[in-house]
Amino acid sequence: MRIVIAPDKFKGSLSAPEVCSHLEKGLQRGAGGNLEVVRIPVADGGEGTLDAAVGSGFTRRTATVTGPTGQPVEADYAVRGHDAVIEMATASGLALVPRTSKGGRPDSAAATTATSLGTGQLIRAALDAGCRRIVLGVGGSANTDGGAGLLQGLGARFLDNRNNELPPGGAALANLHSIDFTHFEPRLVDTRFVLASDVDNPLLGAQGAAAVFGPQKGATQQDVGMLDAALARFVEVLAREIGFRAVKAAEAPGAGAAGGVGYAAIAVLAATRRPGIDVVLEFTGLADRLAGADLMITGEGSLDEQSLLGKTPMGVARAAAAHDVPVIAVCGRTTLDHDQAAAAGFGEIHALTALESDVNRCIAEAGPLLEQLGTQISAGLAANRPGTASTKEDLRV
């Protein structure tokens, strides 16, 4: 039997490659090692996208770049031929911002000063590696700078009315007077960008980058208003430099992604925005690797109503359905009932909480519990019995 395992991470517990590893151990244990298992870690364009790329044949590389609060960080990216995958969070992520306390909110000062500079520097590193098609996975950012930092990392200079360079961060854009593209990276002319993001927010306004995502990054309500006005100033000045497309891009779906990095990518880098899961499934070659498969296993930490809106397991299930391959889902917990599971394309759902009711233990011991699930799945396949997840009680965590 040939089984393809294509899960997302179990957030807070296991990376997608780790999920694959533990699940395969359990499957092989239950089948006496007689299975052909193909591991394809996947993601939705945010955290885990880099792991998915490396698991699909890309080579991991590292560059020293400027983190969101100005500190140097070692950030990874991935290369395969002339293609690169950049996970923005490794260079400019919220996880790199100091917290007010252990497990507390991000430092509110960083909400207005955090920069996407490191992401621009990662793009330059990819260009140096010979890449001319770059996927930007933009989840988990710390900045609300409209991608100004990213453009600075590529050679643009953001100047005030005295021709001084602006300090980093979104708030400083309120004093923006001009943008100097004289030394902007020339190799970008021959480079294509894909913005991997499911966020469809515009840059400005009540649904914009500052209003919707700023508070998650520590911004106060006063900060939100200031940042939104500063981003509007950025659009006004950029329009003088590159024309009306700067204004049009601010209204484009996805411009508000990653604190406005989506805006810079669309307006200046001419990036094409695509759903993250579609981009990841494409570069992992999932469709081709499904050939001859008898079963697909996918999953993520929590399978719930949000999952049905297009998160990773749904994308994987769609790909499997196109090849008439049955799908089993594994997860830490689920709230989906039988009808929802069936509509999503899952023949069975196996949750860790069916083995261990204590959620904290599920998180801490996710690896061994996944191996147990794998063994159970193998036993079920060997017995050729139908899935047992037939009611909401069966599926519930």
Side-chain angles (χ1 to χ4, degrees):
M1 174 173 279
R2 186 170 191 266
I3 299 177
V4 177
I5 306 175
D8 202 342
K9 64 188 175 295
F10 279 32
K11 191 170 184 178
S13 297
L14 300 170
S15 67
E18 289 170 335
V19 173
C20 289
S21 177
H22 286 290
L23 194 54
E24 181 180 2
K25 285 181 183 178
L27 289 166
Q28 296 288 18
R29 184 183 302 145
N34 294 319
L35 298 174
E36 178 188 354
V37 176
V38 179
R39 302 184 196 179
I40 309 176
V42 291
D44 61 6
E47 182 184 355
T49 300
L50 192 63
D51 284 337
V54 173
S56 299
F58 283 72
T59 300
R60 188 183 297 269
R61 300 198 180 187
T62 303
T64 302
V65 301
T66 303
T69 57
Q71 80 283 21
V73 299
E74 297 294 308
D76 290 349
Y77 63 106
V79 172
R80 184 173 66 189
H82 295 296
D83 292 354
V85 174
I86 290 175
E87 187 177 309
M88 181 180 174
T90 67
S92 310
L94 190 57
L96 300 173
V97 173
R99 302 278 165 161
T100 54
S101 62
K102 186 176 181 180
R105 286 170 54 82
D107 184 350
S108 60
T112 58
T113 59
T115 176
S116 57
L117 175 63
T119 301
Q121 293 170 335
L122 268 190
I123 292 173
R124 258 200 167 145
L127 294 174
D128 290 342
C131 298
R132 293 299 180 267
R133 182 179 183 272
I134 298 176
V135 172
L136 292 175
V138 294
S141 67
N143 56 281
T144 309
D145 67 351
L150 180 149
L151 299 179
Q152 288 172 311
L154 293 169
R157 298 175 68 233
F158 284 67
L159 308 171
D160 64 17
N161 60 3
R162 296 184 177 182
N163 220 35
N164 297 315
E165 289 206 44
L166 295 181
L173 295 171
N175 297 316
L176 181 63
H177 178 73
S178 63
I179 306 171
D180 181 4
F181 284 104
T182 303
H183 300 291
F184 200 53
E185 177 56 66
R187 293 172 292 183
L188 293 171
V189 174
D190 300 317
T191 305
R192 292 183 298 129
F193 286 88
V194 176
L195 179 69
S197 174
D198 296 325
V199 171
D200 59 5
N201 302 68
L203 179 66
L204 305 173
Q207 297 301 313
V212 175
F213 305 111
Q216 300 171 12
K217 304 172 184 183
T220 65
Q221 284 305 305
Q222 183 178 359
D223 292 336
V224 166
M226 175 178 60
L227 287 167
D228 192 62
L231 292 173
R233 176 62 179 171
F234 179 23
V235 174
E236 178 185 347
V237 175
L238 185 61
R240 293 205 302 260
E241 303 292 342
I242 68 171
F244 182 72
R245 75 174 187 270
V247 177
K248 186 176 180 181
E251 301 168 354
V261 162
Y263 171 65
I266 294 168
V268 181
L269 303 182
T272 300
R273 173 180 165 264
R274 295 182 58 200
I277 183 59
D278 290 353
V279 174
V280 173
L281 294 187
E282 182 179 283
F283 70 61
T284 58
L286 179 68
D288 292 337
R289 297 163 79 180
L290 274 169
D294 299 292
L295 177 67
M296 164 72 78
I297 303 179
T298 187
E300 62 182 350
S302 179
L303 271 177
D304 50 33
E305 286 73 11
Q306 289 294 314
S307 303
L308 303 179
L309 300 178
K311 294 181 74 176
T312 300
M314 293 295 296
V316 172
R318 286 196 303 272
H323 289 76
D324 200 27
V325 176
V327 181
I328 289 176
V330 295
C331 59
R333 60 182 295 276
T334 185
T335 59
L336 301 182
D337 61 27
H338 178 267
D339 291 341
Q340 290 172 313
F346 306 134
E348 300 176 11
I349 296 180
H350 296 265
L352 300 187
T353 49
L355 302 175
E356 172 54 66
S357 59
D358 185 333
V359 174
N360 290 328
R361 288 192 66 183
C362 282
I363 294 171
E365 302 174 18
L369 289 171
L370 264 177
E371 292 179 26
Q372 288 186 47
L373 282 186
T375 301
Q376 288 185 5
I377 291 169
S378 280
L381 294 172
N384 195 28
R385 59 182 172 80
T388 57
S390 58
T391 69
K392 188 166 184 177
E393 280 304 310
D394 292 326
L395 298 171
R396 184 181 298 158
V397 298

